[in-house]
Amino acid sequence: MEGSWSGSEGGDEDVERLSDGGDKPAEGDAEGVWSPDIEQSFQEALAIYPPCGRRKIILSDEGKMYGRNELIARYIKLRTGKTRTRKQVSSHIQVLARKKVREIQAAIKVGEQSVKDKALQSMASMSSAQIVSATAIHNKLGLRPAFPTGLWQGMLSAGQAGSSQDVKPFVQQAYAIQPAVTSAITSLEAATAPPSVPAWQGRSIGTSKLRLLHFSAFLEHQREADSYNKHLFVQIGQSTHTHSEPLLEPVDVRQIYDKFPEKKGGLKELYANGPAHAFFLIKFWADLSCNVQDESGAFYGVSSQYESPDNMTITCSTKVCSFGKQVVEKVETEYARFENGRFVYRISRSPMCEYMINFIHKLKHLPEKYMMNSVLENFTILLVVTNRDTQETLLCLACVFEVSNSEHGAQHTIYRLLKE
């Protein structure tokens, strides 16, 4: 394996930060129509806050309890500066629920009548909030939601009945769906799924040419001669998938263009050259609950593993970006090893660059988690794997970050990137 870091070790950029705040609402606007900006914020809030019936949702930072419609109205106010009341939100949800039912009815006409009847019977027992928020049903039917659940979620915790347990959104079902609806539509999908496609394809990072099996960034301390303590900042492990699982949720690649370089070799140019099915977005919740004070015997590294049916030489580029500008890049070349009928590519214990090590140290010195997340809003990593000989893009992984709660450890969610 060959590889070296190149670029600046300082990433200061004089770039104006995006603000969630807005101008004050115009006079009389509170009773206005649902304009595109308000509708967009409304759809974002639906994806962030799960239906919870009469239960309340606790915001970790504030410790206050809100009803779901109150949170949606609050979110709209924060995003657009325009006021929508809890009752207006409730009314809008009911209107959209009726529209959603009609769309779902039309979508499942292609299935068997018994499947359709069972699904519609189950939907009849769902609340308007559940119908509008049931992104999983839309995924099963191929109807894409307006916004991916989980991607833009902040520090939200759902209060369970009789409990104030702090549950993070990435380990929690984002909405309630009646089991009968899920099973009915799953059976429809199973009946039409092509058996020749492996279950992992479309449900994990990979294409027919190259698949990611493992990725991790870690800190390792040597305690004694043969004793090591390893802390994982982020990790993607190999999982077993089935055809009954939903496919990866899509995200429009244009939503994240500004977070990555726009010059030659940037995300926009890469996506334009394709192939589109090789592009993925990974939202990492990084585990920073480690001691970085003791640097004796410390090693910061990155490991990854890929497999392919083809024997080729791959080039792996890792671009660390701040405010959408490339700060440093590492390019590594890896050759195939034939194992168990597949060609395997391993990049083991690749040293982390000084910029990343210093960045982690600076994050750790921030006193509050929300401050860390504010910094991470402008920090991204672009991983690009190409065929060295043909220059074809095999995989492109756009990575964005937040800080994980230490009790949960490192977490991640994978999305596929598309342009609608």
Side-chain angles (χ1 to χ4, degrees):
M1 179 185 71
E2 306 166 4
S4 62
W5 287 100
S6 63
S8 169
E9 294 304 323
D12 295 335
E13 299 288 346
D14 186 18
V15 179
E16 183 179 350
R17 291 175 179 269
L18 293 174
S19 170
D20 282 345
D23 297 329
K24 293 184 179 180
E27 186 109 17
D29 186 69
E31 299 303 322
V33 297
W34 289 77
S35 56
D37 60 328
I38 299 177
E39 182 65 30
Q40 176 174 312
S41 297
F42 171 78
Q43 293 292 340
E44 290 179 24
L46 285 180
I48 292 171
Y49 303 119
C52 55
R54 295 186 178 278
R55 287 176 294 169
K56 297 288 185 178
I57 295 174
I58 305 169
L59 288 186
S60 299
D61 285 351
E62 300 180 10
K64 296 179 182 178
M65 299 183 70
Y66 296 86
R68 188 199 188 209
N69 292 346
E70 290 177 300
L71 275 176
I72 293 173
R74 177 180 178 274
Y75 185 89
I76 291 171
K77 178 71 172 179
L78 288 171
R79 294 292 286 177
T80 68
K82 299 174 183 176
T83 302
R84 289 298 175 270
T85 66
R86 173 177 55 83
K87 290 185 178 180
Q88 284 176 311
V89 169
S90 175
S91 175
H92 194 50
I93 286 175
Q94 291 175 33
V95 170
L96 291 182
R98 291 192 288 269
K99 181 181 177 182
K100 291 284 184 184
V101 170
R102 290 194 296 270
E103 289 177 358
I104 293 170
Q105 283 176 327
I108 57 181
K109 283 179 182 177
V110 298
E112 297 179 0
Q113 186 63 36
S114 60
V115 174
K116 176 185 175 182
D117 292 344
K118 191 171 184 179
L120 294 179
Q121 181 182 359
S122 297
M123 278 190 292
S125 64
M126 296 171 69
S127 69
S128 296
Q130 288 172 325
I131 292 172
V132 173
S133 302
T135 310
I137 294 179
H138 294 187
N139 286 342
K140 297 286 186 180
L141 297 171
L143 300 175
R144 285 194 283 274
F147 278 84
T149 54
L151 176 59
W152 309 118
Q153 287 175 334
M155 294 167 281
L156 167 71
S157 55
Q160 304 297 324
S163 168
S164 60
Q165 182 181 6
D166 186 18
V167 182
K168 296 303 294 177
F170 48 82
V171 294
Q172 167 192 345
Q173 188 78 3
Y175 34 73
I177 300 176
Q178 300 296 328
V181 175
T182 304
S183 59
I185 298 177
T186 300
S187 65
L188 177 61
E189 182 193 63
T192 58
S196 59
V197 178
W200 60 262
Q201 204 162 322
R203 297 172 177 86
S204 62
I205 297 172
T207 69
S208 60
K209 293 188 177 182
L210 189 72
R211 180 188 181 193
L212 175 68
L213 298 181
H214 169 84
F215 178 86
S216 63
F218 57 88
L219 166 61
E220 198 171 74
H221 279 106
Q222 184 173 0
R223 297 303 182 192
E224 298 173 5
D226 297 319
S227 175
Y228 292 88
N229 180 33
K230 191 173 187 178
H231 174 83
L232 294 169
F233 295 116
V234 297
Q235 177 179 227
I236 299 175
Q238 189 171 358
S239 302
T240 302
H241 299 276
T242 65
H243 283 102
S244 61
E245 293 176 33
L247 298 174
L248 293 177
E249 205 166 346
V251 171
D252 194 315
V253 67
R254 289 169 293 189
Q255 292 186 24
I256 60 171
Y257 275 164
D258 64 336
K259 291 184 175 291
F260 296 91
E262 295 184 359
K263 296 179 181 179
K264 182 174 176 60
L267 179 59
K268 187 174 183 179
E269 181 186 80
L270 286 168
Y271 193 88
N273 293 334
H277 64 273
F279 287 73
F280 299 85
L281 170 66
I282 310 170
K283 173 67 178 285
F284 282 112
W285 284 267
D287 184 359
L288 296 182
S289 60
C290 60
N291 180 17
V292 297
Q293 303 301 323
D294 179 14
E295 288 297 287
S296 58
F299 174 77
Y300 291 80
V302 179
S303 293
S304 57
Q305 181 176 336
Y306 305 86
E307 73 169 19
S308 171
D310 304 319
N311 183 9
M312 54 188 170
T313 302
I314 63 172
T315 301
C316 303
S317 163
T318 304
K319 295 180 179 179
V320 178
C321 309
S322 177
F323 288 98
K325 307 292 184 183
Q326 177 181 317
V327 180
V328 290
E329 179 183 19
K330 186 173 189 177
V331 180
E332 299 168 285
T333 301
E334 188 64 28
Y335 302 91
R337 294 176 178 83
F338 190 71
E339 299 177 8
N340 301 318
R342 309 287 286 177
F343 293 96
V344 178
Y345 306 83
R346 289 189 182 89
I347 301 176
S348 299
R349 298 173 57 80
S350 177
M352 201 177 289
C353 69
E354 282 299 316
Y355 179 91
M356 276 301 308
I357 297 172
N358 292 335
F359 184 80
I360 292 170
H361 281 237
K362 289 176 182 177
L363 274 182
K364 285 286 293 180
H365 283 103
L366 292 174
E368 299 290 343
K369 177 183 163 185
Y370 77 87
M371 296 179 182
M372 299 182 191
N373 284 332
S374 179
V375 171
L376 287 171
E377 282 182 11
N378 302 296
F379 172 83
T380 56
I381 292 178
L382 189 65
L383 301 170
V384 184
V385 184
T386 58
N387 182 318
R388 188 191 65 177
D389 299 322
T390 66
Q391 293 301 302
E392 177 188 4
T393 299
L394 301 171
L395 287 177
C396 181
L397 315 181
C399 307
V400 296
F401 299 86
E402 277 191 30
V403 179
S404 168
N405 268 1
S406 58
E407 64 263 29
H408 297 305
Q411 302 285 331
H412 70 276
T413 301
I414 303 167
Y415 305 89
R416 59 189 179 92
L417 289 172
L418 53 76
K419 184 186 287 186
E420 294 181 326

